[in-house]
């Protein structure tokens, strides 16, 4: 009230009518300012919320629409869309909708697409070092440990540097540890390393180099082209990834022999790509939504894979009459020997390749030792309850 008294003093010497009008106006100004100040103070205690119009991202996966991998891509998009409300929306198209699978990286970098879903091994032709995120035994690391190395052992920084060196304007997120992939589908079971020689075979990434070193003629086809090539006799054998994908893509319709267990791709994961200029325009809250959606999708994919792959493994054995064989140890040892040859050659040609290897080796020596020393072999418990070897194929080749 002191403020009003001061105004009364200032108004002295005027007529009563004028004084009343002045005091009334001053009171209105005072209460208007007070209300505005109160609202401003309240706003300071509430987090800022983006109310911009919906930002839409057009994605494409590198997978056929019927593959479970495309389902994983949609799962990731749904998590982002749900958490972002109406502020960000990702739409995912299947492979080939805009570009071929192996052209996705360039399409995202150039802005033809806003983003995509694939695997790093598909960019092997850009720089062979990127395939180290999926190909080979990774010094004994499983897929989840490779992701641990990526996020906590320096891998992410090297991958980002490789993309920058190639002038690719992309923001990369890796997630979704994949189980060990089968050696592949063959017209005849593989019983020894010599059986591989001369076989026309499909694989990707550095696995191309491994199998080439083993004497195979390798063709790196995208997922949707594998089964038609097998059916037409253009290739004699092929690998893709898992029981569910292989069943959905139609492998058991053209080949009835599948060799389980291999070192060629035993630690792979998925990659979500964003066009970096468009990603950089997002407010921090939406970047955080994407970051946490990646983490959530990684866990969800792992759980779904355990459920779906095991179901389809049974369906392949019973309904589709597929013969599963364990890859002989002699073939696995031959893979490791070929891997050593590939590493020696590529390390001498590519400085990034050697940097990735040195980083992985240092991380693997510590993490794998801890893992093998700490975690129990669950095969013993499985055999105790079910009375037969766990996860062993029905036959030996």
């Amino acid at each position: 009230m002191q403020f009003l008294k001061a105004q009364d003093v200032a108004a002295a010497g005027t007529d009563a009518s004028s004084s009343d009008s002045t005091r009334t106006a001053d009171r209105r100004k005072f209460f208007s300012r007070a209300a505005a100040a109160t609202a401003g103070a309240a706003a300071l205690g509430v987090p800022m919320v983006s109310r911009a119009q919906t930002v839409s991202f057009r994605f494409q996966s590198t997978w056929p629409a019927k593959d479970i991998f495309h389902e994983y891509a949609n799962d990731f998009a749904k998590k982002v869309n749900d958490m972002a409300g109406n502020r960000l929306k990702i739409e995912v198209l299947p492979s080939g909708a805009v570009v071929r699978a192996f052209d996705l990286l360039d399409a995202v970098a150039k802005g033809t697409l806003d983003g995509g879903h694939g695997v790093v091994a598909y960019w092997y032709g850009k720089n062979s070092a990127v395939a180290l995120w999926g190909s080979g035994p990774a010094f004994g690391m499983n897929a989840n440990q490779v992701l641990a190395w990526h996020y906590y052992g320096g891998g992410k920084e090297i991958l980002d540097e490789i993309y920058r060196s190639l002038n690719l304007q992309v923001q990369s997120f890796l997630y979704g540890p994949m189980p060990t992939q089968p050696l592949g589908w063959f017209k005849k079971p593989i019983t020894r390393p010599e059986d591989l020689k001369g076989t026309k075979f499909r694989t990707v990434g550095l696995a191309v180099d491994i199998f080439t070193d083993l004497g195979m003629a390798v063709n790196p086809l995208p997922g949707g082209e594998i089964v038609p090539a097998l059916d037409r006799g253009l290739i004699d054998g092929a690998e893709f990834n898992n029981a569910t994908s292989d069943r959905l893509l139609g492998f058991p319709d053209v080949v009835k022999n599948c060799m389980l267990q291999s070192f060629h791709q035993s630690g792979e994961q998925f990659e979500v790509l964003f066009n970096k200029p468009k990603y950089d325009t997002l407010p921090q809250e939406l970047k955080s939504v994407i970051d946490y959606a990646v983490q959530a999708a990684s866990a969800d994919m792992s759980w779904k894979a355990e459920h779906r792959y095991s179901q389809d493994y049974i369906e392949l054995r019973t309904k589709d009459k597929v013969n599963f064989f364990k890859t002989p140890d002699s073939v696995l040892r031959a893979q490791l020997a070929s891997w050593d040859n590939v590493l020696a050659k590529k390390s001498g040609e590519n400085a990034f390749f050697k940097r990735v290897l040195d980083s992985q080796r240092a991380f693997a020596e510590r993490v794998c030792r801890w893992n093998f020393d700490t975690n129990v072999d669950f095969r013993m418990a499985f055999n105790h309850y079910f009375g037969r070897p766990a996860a062993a194929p029905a036959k030996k080749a």
Side-chain angles (χ1 to χ4, degrees), residues 228-245:
L230 274 171
D231 192 34
R232 295 197 300 269
L234 300 178
I235 54 177
D236 305 314
E239 62 80 39
F240 183 67
N241 192 277
N242 63 83
T244 300
S245 290

Side-chain angles (χ1 to χ4, degrees), residues 189-199 214-216 328 330-331 334:
I190 302 300
T191 62
R192 54 183 186 156
E194 290 74 16
D195 293 342
L196 299 173
K197 295 184 183 299
T199 301
L214 288 168
M216 304 179 85
S330 61
V331 175

Side-chain angles (χ1 to χ4, degrees), residues 98 178 183 185 206 266:
V98 179
M178 300 181 190
L183 177 67
W185 295 74
L206 284 164
S266 54

Side-chain angles (χ1 to χ4, degrees), residues 349-392:
E349 299 172 345
N350 185 342
F352 272 122
F353 198 97
K354 188 176 186 306
R355 279 183 60 190
V356 175
L357 281 182
D358 290 344
S359 179
Q360 285 184 341
R361 183 189 291 269
F363 193 82
E365 185 174 10
R366 169 169 56 88
V367 171
C368 291
R369 185 179 301 279
W370 166 82
N371 178 47
F372 296 136
D373 288 352
T374 303
N375 290 316
V376 69
D377 183 351
F378 287 97
R379 185 183 295 270
M380 180 185 293
F382 183 91
N383 291 344
H384 175 78
Y385 290 107
F386 299 102
R388 58 186 176 85

